[in-house]
Amino acid sequence: MPKHLLIAANWKMNPAPAGFDTPDSPYRPRTDVDVVVFPTFLDLEKCIGAGLVTGGQWGDPKPSGAATGDISMAMLKDMGCSSVLCGHSERRKYHHEDNAFVAEQVQAALDVGLMPIACIGETEEERSAGKEKEIVQRQLSALPDGVTVIAYEPVWAIGTGKNATPEQVENMHAFIRTLRPSARLLYGGSLNEKNAQELLALRDVDGALVGGASLKAASFRGIIGVAGDLC
Ligand code: PGA
């Protein structure tokens, strides 16, 4: 059965890649694959202006107030974003964002009409201790019922060039599917144009959250090409 995949480009703290706004940009919306880009806040406006489907990398659950340096879900929505990342492991690690805070973010995003992508995943130590499902279950159970997109991103696979094996990914995605049957499940962690086929073809994988490989238009084009062939 053909899939309807969602491919998200997480540019993290990097400028919009060269070619992001050209007529043949691989970051543009398409009919066969849902494509969403997550630029820095500084590049949101030009990506929206270029016609890309765009999301914020973070958003505060409060609509406004005394929070120096922050930006709210409501502001992202007003600006023209359609999505937002919540609970990325880099936010959990470097900004101490816990499951309760991520749940607040997801709910606030849903309330203003943004599509939150809730990120979950275990660390290397947790997997070595055989606790990966326990951790993922705890992260999942904190999320509001309305969440429709979940990204499983094993922390040890993010930015390391060490992607999870197809067996590890399918095993975890099937587990997540039993707990959140109606959510779209993305895989994230060193996905690139070379391993995209074997990972995106897995039964319980509905798309990908791509970091490093989304920063080069040629690599991202390769991933979108693979996704398109599966759709
Ligand atoms: P990566 O990042 O593709 O560079 O591993 C994925 C992510 O952090 O979303």
PDB file of all heavy atoms in Angstrom, residues 186-225:
ATOM      1  N   LEU A 186       7.235   9.438  13.037  1.00  0.00           N
ATOM      2  CA  LEU A 186       8.441   9.768  12.273  1.00  0.00           C
ATOM      3  C   LEU A 186       9.648   9.140  12.953  1.00  0.00           C
ATOM      4  O   LEU A 186       9.690   9.029  14.179  1.00  0.00           O
ATOM      5  CB  LEU A 186       8.654  11.287  12.219  1.00  0.00           C
ATOM      6  CG  LEU A 186       7.456  12.173  11.878  1.00  0.00           C
ATOM      7  CD1 LEU A 186       7.911  13.630  11.749  1.00  0.00           C
ATOM      8  CD2 LEU A 186       6.767  11.705  10.615  1.00  0.00           C
ATOM      9  N   TYR A 187      10.642   8.779  12.140  1.00  0.00           N
ATOM     10  CA  TYR A 187      11.932   8.361  12.711  1.00  0.00           C
ATOM     11  C   TYR A 187      12.923   9.501  12.527  1.00  0.00           C
ATOM     12  O   TYR A 187      12.933  10.169  11.476  1.00  0.00           O
ATOM     13  CB  TYR A 187      12.477   7.094  12.016  1.00  0.00           C
ATOM     14  CG  TYR A 187      13.913   6.859  12.423  1.00  0.00           C
ATOM     15  CD1 TYR A 187      14.209   6.381  13.709  1.00  0.00           C
ATOM     16  CD2 TYR A 187      14.970   7.209  11.576  1.00  0.00           C
ATOM     17  CE1 TYR A 187      15.525   6.254  14.116  1.00  0.00           C
ATOM     18  CE2 TYR A 187      16.285   7.072  11.981  1.00  0.00           C
ATOM     19  CZ  TYR A 187      16.555   6.596  13.259  1.00  0.00           C
ATOM     20  OH  TYR A 187      17.862   6.494  13.679  1.00  0.00           O
ATOM     21  N   GLY A 188      13.768   9.728  13.506  1.00  0.00           N
ATOM     22  CA  GLY A 188      14.835  10.718  13.379  1.00  0.00           C
ATOM     23  C   GLY A 188      16.112  10.212  14.002  1.00  0.00           C
ATOM     24  O   GLY A 188      16.100   9.550  15.051  1.00  0.00           O
ATOM     25  N   GLY A 189      17.236  10.509  13.370  1.00  0.00           N
ATOM     26  CA  GLY A 189      18.537  10.084  13.888  1.00  0.00           C
ATOM     27  C   GLY A 189      19.402   9.611  12.740  1.00  0.00           C
ATOM     28  O   GLY A 189      19.294   8.467  12.300  1.00  0.00           O
ATOM     29  N   SER A 190      20.243  10.539  12.225  1.00  0.00           N
ATOM     30  CA  SER A 190      21.199  10.217  11.158  1.00  0.00           C
ATOM     31  C   SER A 190      20.535   9.589   9.931  1.00  0.00           C
ATOM     32  O   SER A 190      21.135   8.740   9.271  1.00  0.00           O
ATOM     33  CB  SER A 190      22.326   9.329  11.693  1.00  0.00           C
ATOM     34  OG  SER A 190      23.032  10.022  12.716  1.00  0.00           O
ATOM     35  N   LEU A 191      19.313  10.010   9.646  1.00  0.00           N
ATOM     36  CA  LEU A 191      18.691   9.550   8.400  1.00  0.00           C
ATOM     37  C   LEU A 191      19.267  10.378   7.264  1.00  0.00           C
ATOM     38  O   LEU A 191      19.408  11.600   7.379  1.00  0.00           O
ATOM     39  CB  LEU A 191      17.173   9.689   8.466  1.00  0.00           C
ATOM     40  CG  LEU A 191      16.452   9.085   7.261  1.00  0.00           C
ATOM     41  CD1 LEU A 191      15.273   8.222   7.712  1.00  0.00           C
ATOM     42  CD2 LEU A 191      15.963  10.149   6.288  1.00  0.00           C
ATOM     43  N   ASN A 192      19.629   9.704   6.168  1.00  0.00           N
ATOM     44  CA  ASN A 192      20.197  10.423   5.023  1.00  0.00           C
ATOM     45  C   ASN A 192      19.704   9.786   3.728  1.00  0.00           C
ATOM     46  O   ASN A 192      18.900   8.843   3.756  1.00  0.00           O
ATOM     47  CB  ASN A 192      21.738  10.454   5.107  1.00  0.00           C
ATOM     48  CG  ASN A 192      22.324   9.053   5.188  1.00  0.00           C
ATOM     49  OD1 ASN A 192      21.863   8.144   4.489  1.00  0.00           O
ATOM     50  ND2 ASN A 192      23.324   8.863   6.031  1.00  0.00           N
ATOM     51  N   GLU A 193      20.222  10.292   2.603  1.00  0.00           N
ATOM     52  CA  GLU A 193      19.717   9.807   1.319  1.00  0.00           C
ATOM     53  C   GLU A 193      20.101   8.343   1.077  1.00  0.00           C
ATOM     54  O   GLU A 193      19.492   7.669   0.263  1.00  0.00           O
ATOM     55  CB  GLU A 193      20.183  10.729   0.175  1.00  0.00           C
ATOM     56  CG  GLU A 193      21.676  10.742  -0.112  1.00  0.00           C
ATOM     57  CD  GLU A 193      22.483  11.662   0.814  1.00  0.00           C
ATOM     58  OE1 GLU A 193      22.063  11.915   1.967  1.00  0.00           O
ATOM     59  OE2 GLU A 193      23.566  12.107   0.385  1.00  0.00           O
ATOM     60  N   LYS A 194      21.114   7.846   1.811  1.00  0.00           N
ATOM     61  CA  LYS A 194      21.548   6.458   1.594  1.00  0.00           C
ATOM     62  C   LYS A 194      20.722   5.445   2.403  1.00  0.00           C
ATOM     63  O   LYS A 194      20.442   4.350   1.927  1.00  0.00           O
ATOM     64  CB  LYS A 194      23.020   6.315   1.950  1.00  0.00           C
ATOM     65  CG  LYS A 194      23.920   7.156   1.068  1.00  0.00           C
ATOM     66  CD  LYS A 194      25.376   6.738   1.176  1.00  0.00           C
ATOM     67  CE  LYS A 194      26.270   7.642   0.353  1.00  0.00           C
ATOM     68  NZ  LYS A 194      26.486   8.970   0.986  1.00  0.00           N
ATOM     69  N   ASN A 195      20.377   5.806   3.631  1.00  0.00           N
ATOM     70  CA  ASN A 195      19.630   4.829   4.442  1.00  0.00           C
ATOM     71  C   ASN A 195      18.121   5.110   4.450  1.00  0.00           C
ATOM     72  O   ASN A 195      17.361   4.395   5.110  1.00  0.00           O
ATOM     73  CB  ASN A 195      20.189   4.773   5.875  1.00  0.00           C
ATOM     74  CG  ASN A 195      20.129   6.124   6.586  1.00  0.00           C
ATOM     75  OD1 ASN A 195      19.272   6.948   6.276  1.00  0.00           O
ATOM     76  ND2 ASN A 195      21.018   6.341   7.544  1.00  0.00           N
ATOM     77  N   ALA A 196      17.691   6.160   3.746  1.00  0.00           N
ATOM     78  CA  ALA A 196      16.271   6.555   3.792  1.00  0.00           C
ATOM     79  C   ALA A 196      15.352   5.432   3.305  1.00  0.00           C
ATOM     80  O   ALA A 196      14.304   5.173   3.895  1.00  0.00           O
ATOM     81  CB  ALA A 196      16.046   7.809   2.946  1.00  0.00           C
ATOM     82  N   GLN A 197      15.758   4.753   2.239  1.00  0.00           N
ATOM     83  CA  GLN A 197      14.888   3.728   1.645  1.00  0.00           C
ATOM     84  C   GLN A 197      14.549   2.638   2.668  1.00  0.00           C
ATOM     85  O   GLN A 197      13.380   2.317   2.888  1.00  0.00           O
ATOM     86  CB  GLN A 197      15.584   3.151   0.406  1.00  0.00           C
ATOM     87  CG  GLN A 197      15.073   1.816  -0.092  1.00  0.00           C
ATOM     88  CD  GLN A 197      13.643   1.879  -0.630  1.00  0.00           C
ATOM     89  OE1 GLN A 197      13.238   2.875  -1.208  1.00  0.00           O
ATOM     90  NE2 GLN A 197      12.876   0.817  -0.413  1.00  0.00           N
ATOM     91  N   GLU A 198      15.582   2.088   3.327  1.00  0.00           N
ATOM     92  CA  GLU A 198      15.306   0.951   4.226  1.00  0.00           C
ATOM     93  C   GLU A 198      14.530   1.394   5.468  1.00  0.00           C
ATOM     94  O   GLU A 198      13.777   0.614   6.045  1.00  0.00           O
ATOM     95  CB  GLU A 198      16.598   0.223   4.628  1.00  0.00           C
ATOM     96  CG  GLU A 198      17.583   1.084   5.372  1.00  0.00           C
ATOM     97  CD  GLU A 198      18.834   0.320   5.817  1.00  0.00           C
ATOM     98  OE1 GLU A 198      18.967  -0.853   5.443  1.00  0.00           O
ATOM     99  OE2 GLU A 198      19.649   0.915   6.548  1.00  0.00           O
ATOM    100  N   LEU A 199      14.695   2.660   5.874  1.00  0.00           N
ATOM    101  CA  LEU A 199      13.988   3.111   7.078  1.00  0.00           C
ATOM    102  C   LEU A 199      12.567   3.581   6.767  1.00  0.00           C
ATOM    103  O   LEU A 199      11.614   3.235   7.465  1.00  0.00           O
ATOM    104  CB  LEU A 199      14.797   4.228   7.766  1.00  0.00           C
ATOM    105  CG  LEU A 199      16.150   3.758   8.309  1.00  0.00           C
ATOM    106  CD1 LEU A 199      17.034   4.945   8.705  1.00  0.00           C
ATOM    107  CD2 LEU A 199      15.975   2.825   9.511  1.00  0.00           C
ATOM    108  N   LEU A 200      12.422   4.333   5.682  1.00  0.00           N
ATOM    109  CA  LEU A 200      11.090   4.867   5.350  1.00  0.00           C
ATOM    110  C   LEU A 200      10.141   3.775   4.864  1.00  0.00           C
ATOM    111  O   LEU A 200       8.922   3.931   4.943  1.00  0.00           O
ATOM    112  CB  LEU A 200      11.204   5.969   4.289  1.00  0.00           C
ATOM    113  CG  LEU A 200      11.878   7.266   4.739  1.00  0.00           C
ATOM    114  CD1 LEU A 200      12.051   8.218   3.562  1.00  0.00           C
ATOM    115  CD2 LEU A 200      11.078   7.940   5.858  1.00  0.00           C
ATOM    116  N   ALA A 201      10.710   2.674   4.360  1.00  0.00           N
ATOM    117  CA  ALA A 201       9.855   1.587   3.857  1.00  0.00           C
ATOM    118  C   ALA A 201       9.259   0.752   4.987  1.00  0.00           C
ATOM    119  O   ALA A 201       8.328  -0.024   4.765  1.00  0.00           O
ATOM    120  CB  ALA A 201      10.664   0.686   2.921  1.00  0.00           C
ATOM    121  N   LEU A 202       9.764   0.897   6.197  1.00  0.00           N
ATOM    122  CA  LEU A 202       9.286   0.060   7.313  1.00  0.00           C
ATOM    123  C   LEU A 202       7.795   0.291   7.566  1.00  0.00           C
ATOM    124  O   LEU A 202       7.302   1.419   7.446  1.00  0.00           O
ATOM    125  CB  LEU A 202      10.083   0.373   8.579  1.00  0.00           C
ATOM    126  CG  LEU A 202      11.567   0.000   8.528  1.00  0.00           C
ATOM    127  CD1 LEU A 202      12.306   0.597   9.718  1.00  0.00           C
ATOM    128  CD2 LEU A 202      11.737  -1.521   8.498  1.00  0.00           C
ATOM    129  N   ARG A 203       7.109  -0.776   7.949  1.00  0.00           N
ATOM    130  CA  ARG A 203       5.650  -0.724   8.074  1.00  0.00           C
ATOM    131  C   ARG A 203       5.159   0.417   8.968  1.00  0.00           C
ATOM    132  O   ARG A 203       4.216   1.132   8.636  1.00  0.00           O
ATOM    133  CB  ARG A 203       5.142  -2.064   8.637  1.00  0.00           C
ATOM    134  CG  ARG A 203       3.637  -2.215   8.528  1.00  0.00           C
ATOM    135  CD  ARG A 203       3.126  -3.398   9.320  1.00  0.00           C
ATOM    136  NE  ARG A 203       3.463  -3.249  10.736  1.00  0.00           N
ATOM    137  CZ  ARG A 203       3.431  -4.229  11.620  1.00  0.00           C
ATOM    138  NH1 ARG A 203       3.094  -5.436  11.245  1.00  0.00           N
ATOM    139  NH2 ARG A 203       3.741  -4.007  12.886  1.00  0.00           N
ATOM    140  N   ASP A 204       5.810   0.604  10.105  1.00  0.00           N
ATOM    141  CA  ASP A 204       5.295   1.581  11.063  1.00  0.00           C
ATOM    142  C   ASP A 204       6.027   2.915  11.036  1.00  0.00           C
ATOM    143  O   ASP A 204       5.965   3.680  12.003  1.00  0.00           O
ATOM    144  CB  ASP A 204       5.314   0.970  12.472  1.00  0.00           C
ATOM    145  CG  ASP A 204       4.274  -0.134  12.584  1.00  0.00           C
ATOM    146  OD1 ASP A 204       3.080   0.174  12.406  1.00  0.00           O
ATOM    147  OD2 ASP A 204       4.642  -1.304  12.785  1.00  0.00           O
ATOM    148  N   VAL A 205       6.715   3.201   9.960  1.00  0.00           N
ATOM    149  CA  VAL A 205       7.383   4.496   9.795  1.00  0.00           C
ATOM    150  C   VAL A 205       6.568   5.340   8.810  1.00  0.00           C
ATOM    151  O   VAL A 205       6.353   4.936   7.674  1.00  0.00           O
ATOM    152  CB  VAL A 205       8.841   4.321   9.316  1.00  0.00           C
ATOM    153  CG1 VAL A 205       9.468   5.667   8.962  1.00  0.00           C
ATOM    154  CG2 VAL A 205       9.662   3.624  10.404  1.00  0.00           C
ATOM    155  N   ASP A 206       6.126   6.496   9.291  1.00  0.00           N
ATOM    156  CA  ASP A 206       5.272   7.373   8.466  1.00  0.00           C
ATOM    157  C   ASP A 206       6.014   8.625   8.017  1.00  0.00           C
ATOM    158  O   ASP A 206       5.384   9.580   7.538  1.00  0.00           O
ATOM    159  CB  ASP A 206       4.037   7.799   9.270  1.00  0.00           C
ATOM    160  CG  ASP A 206       3.275   6.609   9.830  1.00  0.00           C
ATOM    161  OD1 ASP A 206       3.105   5.625   9.100  1.00  0.00           O
ATOM    162  OD2 ASP A 206       2.868   6.662  11.011  1.00  0.00           O
ATOM    163  N   GLY A 207       7.318   8.649   8.221  1.00  0.00           N
ATOM    164  CA  GLY A 207       8.085   9.809   7.786  1.00  0.00           C
ATOM    165  C   GLY A 207       9.356   9.948   8.603  1.00  0.00           C
ATOM    166  O   GLY A 207       9.753   9.021   9.316  1.00  0.00           O
ATOM    167  N   ALA A 208      10.007  11.119   8.470  1.00  0.00           N
ATOM    168  CA  ALA A 208      11.294  11.304   9.132  1.00  0.00           C
ATOM    169  C   ALA A 208      11.477  12.751   9.565  1.00  0.00           C
ATOM    170  O   ALA A 208      10.948  13.674   8.940  1.00  0.00           O
ATOM    171  CB  ALA A 208      12.425  10.913   8.192  1.00  0.00           C
ATOM    172  N   LEU A 209      12.234  12.901  10.645  1.00  0.00           N
ATOM    173  CA  LEU A 209      12.702  14.211  11.081  1.00  0.00           C
ATOM    174  C   LEU A 209      14.212  14.201  10.813  1.00  0.00           C
ATOM    175  O   LEU A 209      14.942  13.397  11.385  1.00  0.00           O
ATOM    176  CB  LEU A 209      12.395  14.415  12.572  1.00  0.00           C
ATOM    177  CG  LEU A 209      12.832  15.721  13.222  1.00  0.00           C
ATOM    178  CD1 LEU A 209      12.324  16.939  12.458  1.00  0.00           C
ATOM    179  CD2 LEU A 209      12.319  15.787  14.671  1.00  0.00           C
ATOM    180  N   VAL A 210      14.638  15.070   9.902  1.00  0.00           N
ATOM    181  CA  VAL A 210      16.007  15.002   9.383  1.00  0.00           C
ATOM    182  C   VAL A 210      16.794  16.234   9.810  1.00  0.00           C
ATOM    183  O   VAL A 210      16.373  17.365   9.545  1.00  0.00           O
ATOM    184  CB  VAL A 210      15.989  14.928   7.837  1.00  0.00           C
ATOM    185  CG1 VAL A 210      17.383  14.642   7.299  1.00  0.00           C
ATOM    186  CG2 VAL A 210      14.988  13.895   7.338  1.00  0.00           C
ATOM    187  N   GLY A 211      17.935  16.025  10.450  1.00  0.00           N
ATOM    188  CA  GLY A 211      18.785  17.138  10.855  1.00  0.00           C
ATOM    189  C   GLY A 211      19.877  17.374   9.821  1.00  0.00           C
ATOM    190  O   GLY A 211      19.678  18.037   8.802  1.00  0.00           O
ATOM    191  N   GLY A 212      21.070  16.818  10.075  1.00  0.00           N
ATOM    192  CA  GLY A 212      22.251  17.059   9.248  1.00  0.00           C
ATOM    193  C   GLY A 212      22.008  16.958   7.748  1.00  0.00           C
ATOM    194  O   GLY A 212      22.404  17.844   6.978  1.00  0.00           O
ATOM    195  N   ALA A 213      21.350  15.888   7.320  1.00  0.00           N
ATOM    196  CA  ALA A 213      21.168  15.669   5.873  1.00  0.00           C
ATOM    197  C   ALA A 213      20.152  16.634   5.267  1.00  0.00           C
ATOM    198  O   ALA A 213      20.024  16.699   4.043  1.00  0.00           O
ATOM    199  CB  ALA A 213      20.752  14.223   5.605  1.00  0.00           C
ATOM    200  N   SER A 214      19.458  17.404   6.108  1.00  0.00           N
ATOM    201  CA  SER A 214      18.503  18.383   5.549  1.00  0.00           C
ATOM    202  C   SER A 214      19.190  19.707   5.247  1.00  0.00           C
ATOM    203  O   SER A 214      18.591  20.607   4.676  1.00  0.00           O
ATOM    204  CB  SER A 214      17.335  18.610   6.512  1.00  0.00           C
ATOM    205  OG  SER A 214      17.719  19.424   7.601  1.00  0.00           O
ATOM    206  N   LEU A 215      20.455  19.820   5.625  1.00  0.00           N
ATOM    207  CA  LEU A 215      21.181  21.086   5.427  1.00  0.00           C
ATOM    208  C   LEU A 215      21.815  21.199   4.046  1.00  0.00           C
ATOM    209  O   LEU A 215      22.339  22.244   3.686  1.00  0.00           O
ATOM    210  CB  LEU A 215      22.257  21.251   6.503  1.00  0.00           C
ATOM    211  CG  LEU A 215      21.712  21.575   7.896  1.00  0.00           C
ATOM    212  CD1 LEU A 215      22.802  21.452   8.937  1.00  0.00           C
ATOM    213  CD2 LEU A 215      21.094  22.969   7.925  1.00  0.00           C
ATOM    214  N   LYS A 216      21.816  20.102   3.319  1.00  0.00           N
ATOM    215  CA  LYS A 216      22.332  20.145   1.941  1.00  0.00           C
ATOM    216  C   LYS A 216      21.177  19.828   1.012  1.00  0.00           C
ATOM    217  O   LYS A 216      20.593  18.734   1.085  1.00  0.00           O
ATOM    218  CB  LYS A 216      23.428  19.098   1.751  1.00  0.00           C
ATOM    219  CG  LYS A 216      24.723  19.459   2.425  1.00  0.00           C
ATOM    220  CD  LYS A 216      25.899  18.798   1.696  1.00  0.00           C
ATOM    221  CE  LYS A 216      27.222  19.221   2.285  1.00  0.00           C
ATOM    222  NZ  LYS A 216      27.597  18.394   3.443  1.00  0.00           N
ATOM    223  N   ALA A 217      20.875  20.768   0.127  1.00  0.00           N
ATOM    224  CA  ALA A 217      19.713  20.589  -0.749  1.00  0.00           C
ATOM    225  C   ALA A 217      19.809  19.273  -1.526  1.00  0.00           C
ATOM    226  O   ALA A 217      18.807  18.574  -1.698  1.00  0.00           O
ATOM    227  CB  ALA A 217      19.576  21.780  -1.694  1.00  0.00           C
ATOM    228  N   ALA A 218      21.019  18.899  -1.952  1.00  0.00           N
ATOM    229  CA  ALA A 218      21.149  17.674  -2.761  1.00  0.00           C
ATOM    230  C   ALA A 218      20.791  16.438  -1.935  1.00  0.00           C
ATOM    231  O   ALA A 218      20.101  15.528  -2.430  1.00  0.00           O
ATOM    232  CB  ALA A 218      22.569  17.559  -3.312  1.00  0.00           C
ATOM    233  N   SER A 219      21.252  16.390  -0.684  1.00  0.00           N
ATOM    234  CA  SER A 219      20.927  15.242   0.171  1.00  0.00           C
ATOM    235  C   SER A 219      19.433  15.202   0.458  1.00  0.00           C
ATOM    236  O   SER A 219      18.793  14.141   0.408  1.00  0.00           O
ATOM    237  CB  SER A 219      21.676  15.328   1.510  1.00  0.00           C
ATOM    238  OG  SER A 219      23.048  15.327   1.269  1.00  0.00           O
ATOM    239  N   PHE A 220      18.882  16.379   0.757  1.00  0.00           N
ATOM    240  CA  PHE A 220      17.460  16.419   1.078  1.00  0.00           C
ATOM    241  C   PHE A 220      16.628  16.013  -0.143  1.00  0.00           C
ATOM    242  O   PHE A 220      15.639  15.305  -0.017  1.00  0.00           O
ATOM    243  CB  PHE A 220      17.071  17.807   1.594  1.00  0.00           C
ATOM    244  CG  PHE A 220      15.737  17.819   2.297  1.00  0.00           C
ATOM    245  CD1 PHE A 220      15.555  17.144   3.500  1.00  0.00           C
ATOM    246  CD2 PHE A 220      14.653  18.480   1.744  1.00  0.00           C
ATOM    247  CE1 PHE A 220      14.321  17.131   4.139  1.00  0.00           C
ATOM    248  CE2 PHE A 220      13.412  18.473   2.379  1.00  0.00           C
ATOM    249  CZ  PHE A 220      13.243  17.804   3.577  1.00  0.00           C
ATOM    250  N   ARG A 221      17.085  16.443  -1.318  1.00  0.00           N
ATOM    251  CA  ARG A 221      16.379  16.062  -2.552  1.00  0.00           C
ATOM    252  C   ARG A 221      16.372  14.530  -2.700  1.00  0.00           C
ATOM    253  O   ARG A 221      15.387  13.932  -3.102  1.00  0.00           O
ATOM    254  CB  ARG A 221      17.075  16.697  -3.766  1.00  0.00           C
ATOM    255  CG  ARG A 221      16.304  16.567  -5.079  1.00  0.00           C
ATOM    256  CD  ARG A 221      17.078  17.152  -6.258  1.00  0.00           C
ATOM    257  NE  ARG A 221      17.535  18.514  -6.044  1.00  0.00           N
ATOM    258  CZ  ARG A 221      16.751  19.597  -6.097  1.00  0.00           C
ATOM    259  NH1 ARG A 221      15.482  19.466  -6.373  1.00  0.00           N
ATOM    260  NH2 ARG A 221      17.239  20.806  -5.870  1.00  0.00           N
ATOM    261  N   GLY A 222      17.507  13.913  -2.348  1.00  0.00           N
ATOM    262  CA  GLY A 222      17.590  12.448  -2.422  1.00  0.00           C
ATOM    263  C   GLY A 222      16.577  11.794  -1.486  1.00  0.00           C
ATOM    264  O   GLY A 222      15.897  10.829  -1.862  1.00  0.00           O
ATOM    265  N   ILE A 223      16.456  12.328  -0.277  1.00  0.00           N
ATOM    266  CA  ILE A 223      15.502  11.762   0.695  1.00  0.00           C
ATOM    267  C   ILE A 223      14.066  11.941   0.203  1.00  0.00           C
ATOM    268  O   ILE A 223      13.248  11.004   0.263  1.00  0.00           O
ATOM    269  CB  ILE A 223      15.694  12.442   2.073  1.00  0.00           C
ATOM    270  CG1 ILE A 223      17.080  12.099   2.637  1.00  0.00           C
ATOM    271  CG2 ILE A 223      14.590  12.032   3.049  1.00  0.00           C
ATOM    272  CD1 ILE A 223      17.510  12.926   3.844  1.00  0.00           C
ATOM    273  N   ILE A 224      13.777  13.132  -0.308  1.00  0.00           N
ATOM    274  CA  ILE A 224      12.419  13.391  -0.807  1.00  0.00           C
ATOM    275  C   ILE A 224      12.114  12.466  -1.996  1.00  0.00           C
ATOM    276  O   ILE A 224      11.001  11.950  -2.142  1.00  0.00           O
ATOM    277  CB  ILE A 224      12.271  14.877  -1.221  1.00  0.00           C
ATOM    278  CG1 ILE A 224      12.390  15.793  -0.001  1.00  0.00           C
ATOM    279  CG2 ILE A 224      10.957  15.129  -1.967  1.00  0.00           C
ATOM    280  CD1 ILE A 224      11.264  15.689   0.985  1.00  0.00           C
ATOM    281  N   GLY A 225      13.139  12.220  -2.817  1.00  0.00           N
ATOM    282  CA  GLY A 225      12.958  11.325  -3.965  1.00  0.00           C
ATOM    283  C   GLY A 225      12.585   9.918  -3.500  1.00  0.00           C
ATOM    284  O   GLY A 225      11.664   9.285  -4.032  1.00  0.00           O
TER     285      GLY A 225
END
